[in-house]
Structures are given as C-alpha cells and as structure tokens.
Amino acid sequence: MLALRLARGAHPLVQFRRLLVAAASAGTGFLLLCTLGYALAHPEASAGSVLRLAWCAVPTAATVYLAITVARTDPGTRPRSGLATIGLGPARLMALSAVTTALSTVLGSLLALLAFLHLRGDLPVPRSDGTAAGFLAVDQSLPLPAVLTLLVLVPLAASLGSALALRPKDGRARRLGRRTGTGAQTAAESGDMPDDRAPDSPDEMSVPDLPLAPRPAPGGLPWGVATLAAGLAVETHASGGGPQQGLHLPGGLAGGPAGVLAGWALTALGLALAGPALAYLCGSLLQSMSPGAVRLLAGRGLQEEARRIGRPLGVVCAVASAAYATAALYVRAGPSLGPLTVLGAVLVAGCTLATLATAAVEARQDRADTIAALVRLGAPATVLRTAALLRAGALVVVFVPVTWVAAELAAMPLARG
C-alpha cells in the first residue's frame, strides 16, 4: 500500500518515466508472447522458435536497463533525514523501489497480454483483420504456464535489478550525506556550524560542495577495447572462412554466419564497457592545456559523472553502431522488415535513449548542491550554461568518431559475408 501511495503522489515527470517503463514492458511482453504464438503455430520449426526467443533478449535487456535507471532516479527512493525514524531506512526504501518497479512492469505485461488476446480474437470485442496469424496461433489454445512464465520475466528481472542497484552499502550513505551536505550545509547556512566543522580559511568555506579532487578513472577501458577487438577478429575470421551455414534471423532481418553475428555482439558489448572510461577521458581533455575556471568546472564535473552517464552513453553508441552495420548490410541484401522486427528495433532504440536521458537527469540531481554552492558564490548563469555545453560538446567530439569507426569496422566483414 505504501508503494502505491508513493507512486500515486509522485511528480508528473517521475510518473512519465514510470509510464515509459510500462510501455517498454508492454512491447517486450508482446514480443515474447508472439514468440510463443510462433512456436505453437510452427511446432516443426523448433530451431526458429529458439532463435526468436533469443532475439527477444535484446529488447528485454534494454527494458530492464531502463527500469533500473528509472528506479535509481526516483526521488522517493533517496535516503533523507527523518525517514529512518519512521521505519523508512535504506533497506525499506530499496524494497519500495523494487515493488514500484514491479508495479510498472506488471502493468506493461498486462497490457501486452490484452493486446495479444485482442489480436487473437480471444476477447469479447471485434478484432481487426490481418495476416498476422503466423505468430498469433489463433487456432490453438494458449498454455497458461508458458504465458505466465514469459510475462513474469521482465517484472522479475527489473525488480531484482532495482533492488541490487539500490541495496544499502556500508559507509556509502554516510559519505554521500557528508558530500551533499544534508546536515552540515544546512548548519553552515544558518550560522550554527559546530566548532569541529568550522572552516579554517575563506577558501575552504567558499567551496564546501565542489569536487576538489578528481575521482579515479573507471577501469573498463582495457576490457572494452579487448572485447571490441575480439569481436572484430571473430567477425573477420567468420566472414573469411569460405561458405558457411548461416542463421536466418526472424522478422526479415538479414542472416549470416553465427560467428559473424557473435562478433557483432562482442563489438557492441565492447563499446558499452568502454563508455565510462571514455566519458572520463572527455573530462580529462577539457582540463588539459592550462584550463580556465569554466573548463575546469566542466571537466571535473564530467569526471564525477563518468560512471553514471558513461555506461548508458556507451550502450547508445553500441545501438547506433549496430544500426549502422545493419543499414550497410541491408544495402546489399535488401529484405523487407516485419512488424515485430520494427517493434523490437523501436523498443531497443527508445529504451537506450530514454535510459541516457534519465541518467542525465540523475546526474543533474546530484549536481544540485554544487550548482547551489556556485550560485551562492555569485557565479553567473552563463558560466554554468557554458560548462554544460562544454561537457556535451566533449562527449560528442569523442563518442561520435569512436562509434563511427567501430561501426565501419563491424560492417566491413558483414558486407563481405
């Protein structure tokens, strides 16, 4: 009941993000049910059914990733002073976040079931005529255990992922409280700062919330580069090894040797792993060559946010790279896309972009104390806007060429295969 009350009384923007999660869950659940319908309608094509189910793993992962990011940015799950006294400590907030995520994804799964049953004609409403009986199995009854198993996948994975992302960590909440100034900043503003926290100099008092030292660089760059190189090597080897039996992907997607497709997946994974380190590198580049105050502020802020926005940005680059390679492959093959393929592509692209936007909102929320401190010090609004533009420009300058090079290298073996 408490989770329902918190969900109902949230800010409209928070409600919109939850509706996005529900919509993504509905689309993914519909794809999973269509996979079940195809298996029922084509019992002889078991390999094709398994391949369709494996193909649904990509939109499922994108939906779960979006749900976890939305749960992390939910203001209702952030520890605040006074909540622990009424029984809402970090563990209880984690449980509430998992329940709220489960509610959003279960709503989407129910919508997917209703849409699937409507297209099959199982509901007492007229269904639209169409030629989609190949994946609806309109002449067969649906096995209830299989339907429930498929529909519970996204809610279960999303709620567990949210709980793991928001699990209490020893000492982290205390460090976060000191950093954001939940208690000390309020005391400093009111003039009641304790003696043991009194600043020794004007400089120390003037920047209580600014990052005075950069955080350590993320360690995913070597793994990302190694995975990217391994994927390109696998693609090249598989495409140059003579005639091979290819996989015929569902929904009109062009197929290819299994090794080429596996290498393609590895290149995308390498971009995602290298995302945080590349974002940190952007911050370092902004601070190079005797930076001024604006570049120093932009670079230091980007280094602070590298772990938060780097991974979603790397995933977006991986999706863009895959889209570029797919487009290059379609120039040669030119098959027609099916409706389920279009739905899956829209889901993956939409979820990754929404995840990046949500992570950017979360980073802005974490910068709120720093921005407030700069405003109190008299920093003009143009400085803050210029720093934000520099951060965005540095990310574009670094990530766009990396994505283009990775996409070109990934498309070359696919075009020869």
Side-chain angles (χ1 to χ4, degrees):
M1 293 300 297
L2 181 58
L4 286 174
R5 291 179 181 178
L6 291 176
R8 186 178 57 184
H11 191 272
L13 183 58
V14 177
Q15 299 284 28
F16 177 72
R17 292 199 292 259
R18 291 171 180 168
L19 287 178
L20 286 180
V21 173
S25 177
T28 304
F30 184 79
L31 288 178
L32 291 170
L33 291 177
C34 290
T35 301
L36 174 62
Y38 181 86
L40 293 175
H42 304 82
E44 74 285 352
S46 58
S49 301
V50 172
L51 185 58
R52 285 173 177 265
L53 185 61
W55 174 71
C56 291
V58 179
T60 300
T63 301
V64 171
Y65 192 30
L66 173 62
I68 294 173
T69 306
V70 169
R72 281 197 349 228
T73 58
D74 193 340
T77 62
R78 291 178 174 270
R80 295 185 296 273
S81 59
L83 289 182
T85 59
I86 60 174
L88 290 179
R92 184 75 181 275
L93 290 176
M94 175 197 68
L96 288 175
S97 174
V99 172
T100 303
T101 303
L103 289 175
S104 300
T105 50
V106 166
L107 174 61
S109 296
L110 291 177
L111 293 176
L113 179 60
L114 290 176
F116 188 74
L117 294 179
H118 171 66
L119 291 177
R120 280 173 47 91
D122 294 337
L123 297 180
V125 291
R127 71 180 181 93
S128 58
D129 295 332
T131 59
F135 56 82
L136 292 176
V138 294
D139 55 344
Q140 301 187 38
S141 59
L142 293 176
L144 182 59
V147 171
L148 294 179
T149 300
L150 291 176
L151 290 181
V152 82
L153 285 178
V154 173
L156 183 61
S159 57
L160 288 178
S162 301
L164 290 176
L166 296 174
R167 69 187 185 277
K169 299 178 177 62
D170 295 337
R172 182 177 178 181
R174 292 190 295 271
R175 291 194 301 269
L176 183 61
R178 288 197 299 267
R179 184 177 174 186
T180 57
T182 54
Q185 180 180 342
T186 305
E189 292 175 353
S190 61
D192 297 330
M193 181 177 290
D195 293 338
D196 56 348
R197 296 281 296 170
D200 296 328
S201 64
D203 291 338
E204 184 181 348
M205 182 177 61
S206 62
V207 286
D209 298 302
L210 298 181
L212 300 179
R215 298 181 65 179
L221 185 59
W223 289 103
V225 173
T227 305
L228 180 63
L232 294 175
V234 170
E235 283 187 52
T236 304
H237 176 74
S239 62
Q244 302 181 48
Q245 185 178 3
L247 293 176
H248 299 285
L249 298 182
L253 283 175
V260 171
L261 300 176
W264 192 1
L266 283 176
T267 57
L269 178 61
L271 281 175
L273 290 176
L278 290 177
Y280 190 92
L281 177 62
C282 294
S284 300
L285 292 177
L286 283 176
Q287 300 175 79
S288 61
M289 301 174 60
S290 302
V294 177
R295 280 203 293 138
L296 185 63
L297 177 63
R300 194 63 56 82
L302 196 53
Q303 287 178 334
E304 288 288 314
E305 301 165 2
R307 288 172 173 83
R308 180 171 291 108
I309 67 173
R311 187 61 52 81
L313 191 55
V315 173
V316 169
C317 292
V319 172
S321 174
Y324 182 90
T326 303
L329 195 61
Y330 270 74
V331 170
R332 178 176 59 89
S336 59
L337 291 177
L340 297 183
T341 302
V342 175
L343 176 59
V346 170
L347 276 174
V348 173
C351 286
T352 52
L353 291 176
T355 301
L356 178 59
T358 306
V361 171
E362 182 185 14
R364 180 175 177 81
Q365 291 174 352
D366 288 345
R367 288 199 311 268
D369 294 323
T370 301
I371 294 175
L374 290 172
V375 171
R376 288 196 306 271
L377 294 174
T382 55
V383 171
L384 302 178
R385 286 196 293 266
T386 303
L389 290 176
L390 283 176
R391 286 194 297 267
L395 292 174
V396 170
V397 167
V398 172
F399 274 89
V400 170
V402 169
T403 304
W404 180 77
V405 170
E408 282 285 349
L409 294 176
M412 286 169 54
L414 291 173
R416 294 199 308 263

